[in-house]
PDB file of all heavy atoms in Angstrom:
ATOM      1  N   PHE A  30      31.224   9.229  25.847  1.00 92.00           N
ATOM      2  CA  PHE A  30      30.579   8.824  24.569  1.00 92.00           C
ATOM      3  C   PHE A  30      30.848   7.351  24.365  1.00 92.00           C
ATOM      4  O   PHE A  30      31.771   6.815  24.738  1.00 92.00           O
ATOM      5  CB  PHE A  30      31.223   9.683  23.574  1.00 92.00           C
ATOM      6  CG  PHE A  30      31.144  11.074  23.495  1.00 92.00           C
ATOM      7  CD1 PHE A  30      32.099  11.833  24.291  1.00 92.00           C
ATOM      8  CD2 PHE A  30      30.014  11.746  23.066  1.00 92.00           C
ATOM      9  CE1 PHE A  30      31.896  13.198  24.451  1.00 92.00           C
ATOM     10  CE2 PHE A  30      29.893  13.180  23.123  1.00 92.00           C
ATOM     11  CZ  PHE A  30      30.876  13.845  23.862  1.00 92.00           C
ATOM     12  N   LEU A  31      29.797   6.751  23.768  1.00 91.00           N
ATOM     13  CA  LEU A  31      29.778   5.376  23.285  1.00 91.00           C
ATOM     14  C   LEU A  31      29.913   5.445  21.728  1.00 91.00           C
ATOM     15  O   LEU A  31      29.024   5.862  21.193  1.00 91.00           O
ATOM     16  CB  LEU A  31      28.583   4.619  23.687  1.00 91.00           C
ATOM     17  CG  LEU A  31      28.425   3.257  23.233  1.00 91.00           C
ATOM     18  CD1 LEU A  31      29.508   2.310  23.763  1.00 91.00           C
ATOM     19  CD2 LEU A  31      27.045   2.609  23.648  1.00 91.00           C
ATOM     20  N   ILE A  32      30.922   4.896  21.326  1.00 91.00           N
ATOM     21  CA  ILE A  32      31.210   4.871  19.802  1.00 91.00           C
ATOM     22  C   ILE A  32      31.042   3.560  19.363  1.00 91.00           C
ATOM     23  O   ILE A  32      31.946   2.612  19.656  1.00 91.00           O
ATOM     24  CB  ILE A  32      32.555   5.472  19.490  1.00 91.00           C
ATOM     25  CG1 ILE A  32      32.691   6.947  20.063  1.00 91.00           C
ATOM     26  CG2 ILE A  32      32.820   5.462  18.067  1.00 91.00           C
ATOM     27  CD1 ILE A  32      34.146   7.498  20.082  1.00 91.00           C
ATOM     28  N   ASP A  33      29.978   3.200  18.648  1.00 88.00           N
ATOM     29  CA  ASP A  33      29.701   1.883  18.113  1.00 88.00           C
ATOM     30  C   ASP A  33      30.590   1.514  17.003  1.00 88.00           C
ATOM     31  O   ASP A  33      30.732   2.158  15.971  1.00 88.00           O
ATOM     32  CB  ASP A  33      28.277   1.763  17.794  1.00 88.00           C
ATOM     33  CG  ASP A  33      27.737   0.400  17.244  1.00 88.00           C
ATOM     34  OD1 ASP A  33      28.378  -0.486  17.665  1.00 88.00           O
ATOM     35  OD2 ASP A  33      26.820   0.320  16.415  1.00 88.00           O
ATOM     36  N   GLY A  34      31.154   0.302  17.015  1.00 85.00           N
ATOM     37  CA  GLY A  34      31.941  -0.307  15.959  1.00 85.00           C
ATOM     38  C   GLY A  34      33.297   0.374  15.700  1.00 85.00           C
ATOM     39  O   GLY A  34      33.788   0.267  14.524  1.00 85.00           O
ATOM     40  N   PHE A  35      33.967   0.970  16.610  1.00 87.00           N
ATOM     41  CA  PHE A  35      35.143   1.662  16.415  1.00 87.00           C
ATOM     42  C   PHE A  35      36.006   1.571  17.651  1.00 87.00           C
ATOM     43  O   PHE A  35      35.545   1.683  18.681  1.00 87.00           O
ATOM     44  CB  PHE A  35      34.817   3.127  16.155  1.00 87.00           C
ATOM     45  CG  PHE A  35      36.045   3.951  15.611  1.00 87.00           C
ATOM     46  CD1 PHE A  35      36.354   4.014  14.337  1.00 87.00           C
ATOM     47  CD2 PHE A  35      36.924   4.589  16.468  1.00 87.00           C
ATOM     48  CE1 PHE A  35      37.434   4.689  13.871  1.00 87.00           C
ATOM     49  CE2 PHE A  35      37.893   5.202  16.006  1.00 87.00           C
ATOM     50  CZ  PHE A  35      38.236   5.278  14.671  1.00 87.00           C
ATOM     51  N   PRO A  36      37.311   1.219  17.506  1.00 88.00           N
ATOM     52  CA  PRO A  36      37.999   0.992  16.298  1.00 88.00           C
ATOM     53  C   PRO A  36      37.888  -0.461  15.853  1.00 88.00           C
ATOM     54  O   PRO A  36      37.743  -1.229  16.639  1.00 88.00           O
ATOM     55  CB  PRO A  36      39.448   1.286  16.742  1.00 88.00           C
ATOM     56  CG  PRO A  36      39.521   0.950  18.207  1.00 88.00           C
ATOM     57  CD  PRO A  36      38.135   1.187  18.710  1.00 88.00           C
ATOM     58  N   ARG A  37      38.013  -0.579  14.552  1.00 85.00           N
ATOM     59  CA  ARG A  37      38.001  -1.992  13.954  1.00 85.00           C
ATOM     60  C   ARG A  37      39.264  -2.335  13.339  1.00 85.00           C
ATOM     61  O   ARG A  37      39.477  -3.452  12.867  1.00 85.00           O
ATOM     62  CB  ARG A  37      36.945  -2.023  12.968  1.00 85.00           C
ATOM     63  CG  ARG A  37      35.595  -1.949  13.460  1.00 85.00           C
ATOM     64  CD  ARG A  37      34.560  -2.226  12.362  1.00 85.00           C
ATOM     65  NE  ARG A  37      33.229  -2.094  13.024  1.00 85.00           N
ATOM     66  CZ  ARG A  37      32.157  -2.657  12.470  1.00 85.00           C
ATOM     67  NH1 ARG A  37      32.235  -3.356  11.310  1.00 85.00           N
ATOM     68  NH2 ARG A  37      30.990  -2.435  12.991  1.00 85.00           N
ATOM     69  N   SER A  38      40.288  -1.501  13.303  1.00 87.00           N
ATOM     70  CA  SER A  38      41.641  -1.801  12.662  1.00 87.00           C
ATOM     71  C   SER A  38      42.647  -0.970  13.365  1.00 87.00           C
ATOM     72  O   SER A  38      42.459  -0.015  14.071  1.00 87.00           O
ATOM     73  CB  SER A  38      41.566  -1.497  11.220  1.00 87.00           C
ATOM     74  OG  SER A  38      41.464   0.004  11.005  1.00 87.00           O
ATOM     75  N   GLU A  39      43.980  -1.369  13.093  1.00 89.00           N
ATOM     76  CA  GLU A  39      45.056  -0.606  13.571  1.00 89.00           C
ATOM     77  C   GLU A  39      45.102   0.710  13.024  1.00 89.00           C
ATOM     78  O   GLU A  39      45.527   1.740  13.706  1.00 89.00           O
ATOM     79  CB  GLU A  39      46.351  -1.359  13.355  1.00 89.00           C
ATOM     80  CG  GLU A  39      46.480  -2.633  14.218  1.00 89.00           C
ATOM     81  CD  GLU A  39      47.878  -3.316  14.054  1.00 89.00           C
ATOM     82  OE1 GLU A  39      48.860  -2.568  13.744  1.00 89.00           O
ATOM     83  OE2 GLU A  39      47.915  -4.455  14.275  1.00 89.00           O
ATOM     84  N   GLY A  40      44.623   0.873  11.732  1.00 90.00           N
ATOM     85  CA  GLY A  40      44.597   2.264  11.137  1.00 90.00           C
ATOM     86  C   GLY A  40      43.613   3.123  11.843  1.00 90.00           C
ATOM     87  O   GLY A  40      43.931   4.394  11.960  1.00 90.00           O
ATOM     88  N   ASN A  41      42.520   2.611  12.326  1.00 91.00           N
ATOM     89  CA  ASN A  41      41.593   3.378  13.184  1.00 91.00           C
ATOM     90  C   ASN A  41      42.247   3.807  14.447  1.00 91.00           C
ATOM     91  O   ASN A  41      41.941   5.065  14.850  1.00 91.00           O
ATOM     92  CB  ASN A  41      40.296   2.519  13.554  1.00 91.00           C
ATOM     93  CG  ASN A  41      39.407   2.267  12.357  1.00 91.00           C
ATOM     94  OD1 ASN A  41      38.529   1.443  12.523  1.00 91.00           O
ATOM     95  ND2 ASN A  41      39.506   2.954  11.195  1.00 91.00           N
ATOM     96  N   ILE A  42      42.945   2.928  15.113  1.00 91.00           N
ATOM     97  CA  ILE A  42      43.663   3.299  16.290  1.00 91.00           C
ATOM     98  C   ILE A  42      44.718   4.438  16.083  1.00 91.00           C
ATOM     99  O   ILE A  42      44.846   5.395  16.819  1.00 91.00           O
ATOM    100  CB  ILE A  42      44.284   2.027  17.120  1.00 91.00           C
ATOM    101  CG1 ILE A  42      43.219   1.150  17.419  1.00 91.00           C
ATOM    102  CG2 ILE A  42      45.137   2.449  18.107  1.00 91.00           C
ATOM    103  CD1 ILE A  42      43.528  -0.231  17.875  1.00 91.00           C
ATOM    104  N   THR A  43      45.499   4.292  15.020  1.00 92.00           N
ATOM    105  CA  THR A  43      46.456   5.229  14.671  1.00 92.00           C
ATOM    106  C   THR A  43      45.945   6.535  14.376  1.00 92.00           C
ATOM    107  O   THR A  43      46.354   7.532  14.980  1.00 92.00           O
ATOM    108  CB  THR A  43      47.291   4.801  13.436  1.00 92.00           C
ATOM    109  OG1 THR A  43      47.915   3.486  13.707  1.00 92.00           O
ATOM    110  CG2 THR A  43      48.342   5.763  13.007  1.00 92.00           C
ATOM    111  N   ALA A  44      44.788   6.668  13.727  1.00 94.00           N
ATOM    112  CA  ALA A  44      44.068   7.980  13.470  1.00 94.00           C
ATOM    113  C   ALA A  44      43.533   8.495  14.715  1.00 94.00           C
ATOM    114  O   ALA A  44      43.537   9.696  14.928  1.00 94.00           O
ATOM    115  CB  ALA A  44      42.966   7.738  12.400  1.00 94.00           C
ATOM    116  N   TRP A  45      42.925   7.637  15.587  1.00 92.00           N
ATOM    117  CA  TRP A  45      42.403   8.078  16.773  1.00 92.00           C
ATOM    118  C   TRP A  45      43.585   8.743  17.730  1.00 92.00           C
ATOM    119  O   TRP A  45      43.398   9.832  18.204  1.00 92.00           O
ATOM    120  CB  TRP A  45      41.794   6.915  17.600  1.00 92.00           C
ATOM    121  CG  TRP A  45      41.153   7.293  18.906  1.00 92.00           C
ATOM    122  CD1 TRP A  45      41.893   7.353  20.134  1.00 92.00           C
ATOM    123  CD2 TRP A  45      39.956   7.899  19.219  1.00 92.00           C
ATOM    124  NE1 TRP A  45      41.184   7.791  21.097  1.00 92.00           N
ATOM    125  CE2 TRP A  45      39.907   8.232  20.623  1.00 92.00           C
ATOM    126  CE3 TRP A  45      38.842   8.213  18.495  1.00 92.00           C
ATOM    127  CZ2 TRP A  45      38.773   8.697  21.272  1.00 92.00           C
ATOM    128  CZ3 TRP A  45      37.657   8.724  19.078  1.00 92.00           C
ATOM    129  CH2 TRP A  45      37.664   8.967  20.395  1.00 92.00           C
ATOM    130  N   ASN A  46      44.565   7.981  17.834  1.00 92.00           N
ATOM    131  CA  ASN A  46      45.711   8.484  18.687  1.00 92.00           C
ATOM    132  C   ASN A  46      46.307   9.799  18.245  1.00 92.00           C
ATOM    133  O   ASN A  46      46.675  10.577  18.964  1.00 92.00           O
ATOM    134  CB  ASN A  46      46.772   7.431  18.767  1.00 92.00           C
ATOM    135  CG  ASN A  46      46.321   6.162  19.695  1.00 92.00           C
ATOM    136  OD1 ASN A  46      45.444   6.281  20.427  1.00 92.00           O
ATOM    137  ND2 ASN A  46      47.000   5.089  19.487  1.00 92.00           N
TER     138      ASN A  46
END
Side-chain angles (χ1 to χ4, degrees):
F30 299 89
L31 174 63
I32 304 171
D33 181 27
F35 191 88
R37 290 189 184 201
S38 68
E39 288 186 30
N41 289 166
I42 293 170
T43 300
W45 177 271
N46 289 340

